[in-house]
Amino acid sequence: MDKYKDVSPFVIIKSDVTRRSFIYTDRALGALDKSKHQYQQRVLIGSNGDENAAVPVSLLLRDGTSIIGMPSKTAKNPYVVDQIDGKLVLTDQGEIVEEVHYWYKPDYYDKFTSSGTPMWQVASSRPQRLEIDPNSHCHFWNKGNGCKFCNINANSAQSEKECNMSKQLTAQDVYETVKEALKQPGAFTNIKMSSGSILSGAEIFDDEVDMYIEMLQAAGDNFKDKKFPSTIVASAFSEKQLARLYENTGLMTYTSDIEIPNEALFAWICKGKHKEVGYAEWKRRIIRAVDIFGAGNVSSGIVGGCEMAQPHGFTNEDDALKAVLEEAEDFASQGVSIVHCVWVPMHGSAFHNQQNPSLEYYVRLAKGLSDLRKKYRLNVDMDNYRKCGNHPDSDLDRGNLE
Ligand code: SF4
């Protein structure tokens, strides 16, 4: 932290806790209050938890920075969340690092839709954003070409088996859950939808676009105005598909993830995306989305550090960082923000045995991406610390305000 005085210590802690993972002591788990805290969730990638354990879904630091993740039983050097002198704290080798809080549970969480679906299974709650993932199955996996860092189909299959959690949502459940969530004053400022890629349709992704139109219209029926604060994290749609989506829904911002900002590594790690669409075309489509949504309203996610996966990734952190930031600048200069998550070699993904880079790599990556937004005067409001909370670089944007 002494070396990077211009980077928030909270963001450095977040990056390290995410890359090394964490576990809870029994005392810390005893502090979980099921009536107040979130302990069940539906996520696309990561873990929905296991059948019987009541585990906090995420952590919050004192400045509002979130640490999004589930404890890992296989982490080699995890942080430990403990309760000491009545406070929840992160500890490292027995030393207290920082105070943490569990995420509060919104009012709608324990309610049910008219079809009997628990509303927490329809919408998860990030700090101030409703997360609705209408389809937890990715077609790229069908031919064995899922992205190598991703565990979506393994996670959704486990949740369906153990928790009876459906992979697909219905529009009526979405409508009713959004309606209920909006009754809590000031709780939410944005709705995000995401899905595994759906390749079918006359043109690739046509059925995915139809699904988003149906679900966004259902959510939008709760608003008086046509447009409402919303985003999707979706496949790279053609201009025709984006126009259809924009005209028929209240959607205001758009994300499609380039994942690995390097063509050769994208071809290896995101084989399905490269085979069906290709790196150059995936990138071109994201940039063209700016024509529809406007500069600052389009972003693209990268799996920070995955460019160092072996045997084909970079072996030197300086080289990797240089390549990533150069490509990120090319996006930024054309109106697209690149945001990163910290790569966690997850159980259920092809890369589960890999090693992520050093903490210093993540500090430099977060600072570099945030600086690019400052340079190109982009904001990434839909992915900020209160809405998404998963990107160390957009957490740092709080310091970029002029
Ligand atoms: S496109 Fe890749 S990252 Fe996205 S859900 Fe499918 S396999 Fe996972």
Side-chain angles (χ1 to χ4, degrees):
M1 287 189 198
D2 284 346
K3 192 169 169 189
Y4 292 95
K5 287 197 186 316
D6 54 349
V7 179
S8 161
F10 292 106
V11 174
I12 297 176
I13 291 168
K14 169 199 184 112
S15 297
D16 205 35
V17 174
T18 313
R19 66 179 273 282
R20 282 171 47 190
S21 192
F22 58 94
I23 55 174
Y24 293 96
T25 63
D26 289 343
R27 267 198 308 254
L29 285 178
L32 177 85
D33 181 342
K34 284 185 174 180
S35 70
K36 282 190 194 152
H37 301 126
Q38 292 182 50
Y39 61 96
Q40 300 175 106
Q41 65 176 349
R42 174 190 173 97
V43 295
L44 278 184
I45 298 168
S47 169
N48 294 325
D50 58 44
E51 198 176 3
N52 301 312
V55 174
V57 302
S58 278
L59 303 170
L60 195 65
L61 297 173
R62 282 183 296 140
D63 72 332
T65 296
S66 296
I67 300 175
I68 295 175
M70 292 294 279
S72 165
K73 288 174 194 150
T74 53
K76 295 186 185 82
N77 181 25
Y79 281 80
V80 176
V81 180
D82 202 353
Q83 190 183 40
I84 298 176
D85 296 334
K87 283 187 176 174
L88 286 166
V89 288
L90 272 169
T91 67
D92 186 12
Q93 315 296 333
E95 297 285 322
I96 295 177
V97 175
E98 194 35 73
E99 192 178 337
V100 288
H101 301 271
Y102 296 155
W103 281 10
Y104 273 87
K105 185 165 74 170
D107 292 349
Y108 74 86
Y109 239 59
D110 290 335
K111 300 193 170 157
F112 292 81
T113 67
S114 58
S115 67
T117 309
M119 287 191 178
W120 69 264
Q121 291 188 9
V122 180
S124 298
S125 163
R126 291 278 177 93
Q128 293 185 339
R129 183 165 90 173
L130 281 175
E131 302 264 312
I132 299 170
D133 299 327
N135 163 53
S136 314
H137 180 85
C138 179
H139 285 190
F140 283 125
W141 283 52
N142 294 357
K143 295 177 196 163
N145 288 336
C147 303
K148 290 184 166 41
F149 52 81
C150 178
N151 73 347
I152 182 171
N153 286 11
N155 182 44
S156 59
Q158 184 186 349
S159 298
E160 187 175 59
K161 190 167 154 220
E162 292 183 358
C163 310
N164 198 23
M165 203 185 294
S166 171
K167 291 179 187 170
Q168 273 84 31
L169 299 178
T170 68
Q172 182 64 22
D173 278 356
V174 168
Y175 168 75
E176 291 176 22
T177 304
V178 171
K179 186 178 177 132
E180 193 62 35
L182 293 177
K183 289 178 184 168
Q184 190 173 354
F188 300 104
T189 60
N190 193 274
I191 294 174
K192 175 227 119 183
M193 291 189 182
S194 191
S195 160
S197 286
I198 302 173
L199 306 187
S200 53
E203 183 187 330
I204 186 170
F205 307 134
D206 263 351
D207 288 348
E208 186 176 332
V209 173
D210 286 346
M211 183 274 295
Y212 279 120
I213 290 175
E214 184 188 13
M215 296 297 164
L216 284 162
Q217 286 180 345
D221 283 346
N222 289 293
F223 295 88
K224 288 195 194 89
D225 295 330
K226 182 175 176 199
K227 292 288 172 189
F228 60 95
S230 52
T231 196
I232 59 169
V233 183
S235 297
F237 298 141
S238 67
E239 287 96 320
K240 196 168 129 202
Q241 290 169 333
L242 285 170
R244 192 154 68 85
L245 193 58
Y246 188 77
E247 283 157 17
N248 289 291
T249 70
L251 187 64
M252 293 180 73
T253 62
Y254 171 74
T255 297
S256 181
D257 294 339
I258 196 76
E259 318 284 12
I260 314 292
N262 173 288
E263 182 157 10
L265 293 176
F266 180 90
W268 170 50
I269 297 171
C270 305
K271 198 171 166 190
K273 286 183 171 191
H274 193 61
K275 213 168 143 213
E276 301 291 340
V277 179
Y279 182 87
E281 176 64 8
W282 199 282
K283 178 179 174 181
R284 193 196 68 79
R285 290 177 176 206
I286 295 169
I287 292 166
R288 290 280 59 84
V290 177
D291 299 339
I292 293 179
F293 292 93
N297 295 325
V298 178
S299 70
S300 184
I302 59 171
V303 188
C306 201
E307 53 280 353
M308 298 202 67
Q310 295 305 311
H312 301 300
F314 290 94
T315 52
N316 176 296
E317 292 193 353
D318 287 338
D319 293 344
L321 199 63
K322 184 168 177 293
V324 168
L325 291 178
E326 278 176 6
E327 185 69 341
E329 179 148 16
D330 195 41
F331 276 96
S333 67
Q334 298 178 75
V336 176
S337 273
I338 296 289
V339 292
H340 88 283
C341 60
V342 173
W343 171 40
V344 180
M346 277 178 296
H347 180 72
S349 75
F351 277 170
H352 65 277
N353 279 329
Q354 296 263 351
Q355 174 64 46
N356 52 22
S358 69
L359 172 59
E360 186 162 1
Y361 185 82
Y362 285 106
V363 175
R364 292 167 70 199
L365 178 61
K367 180 84 172 78
L369 294 176
S370 180
D371 284 350
L372 281 174
R373 266 190 296 284
K374 197 172 179 183
K375 179 173 174 183
Y376 291 94
R377 304 187 73 78
L378 293 171
N379 83 53
V380 69
D381 191 48
M382 78 278 220
D383 274 332
N384 75 16
Y385 77 103
R386 285 184 297 180
K387 290 174 183 160
C388 182
N390 199 21
H391 309 298
D393 56 287
S394 64
D395 288 342
L396 285 181
D397 287 2
R398 279 172 283 180
N400 286 351
L401 297 175
E402 289 172 351

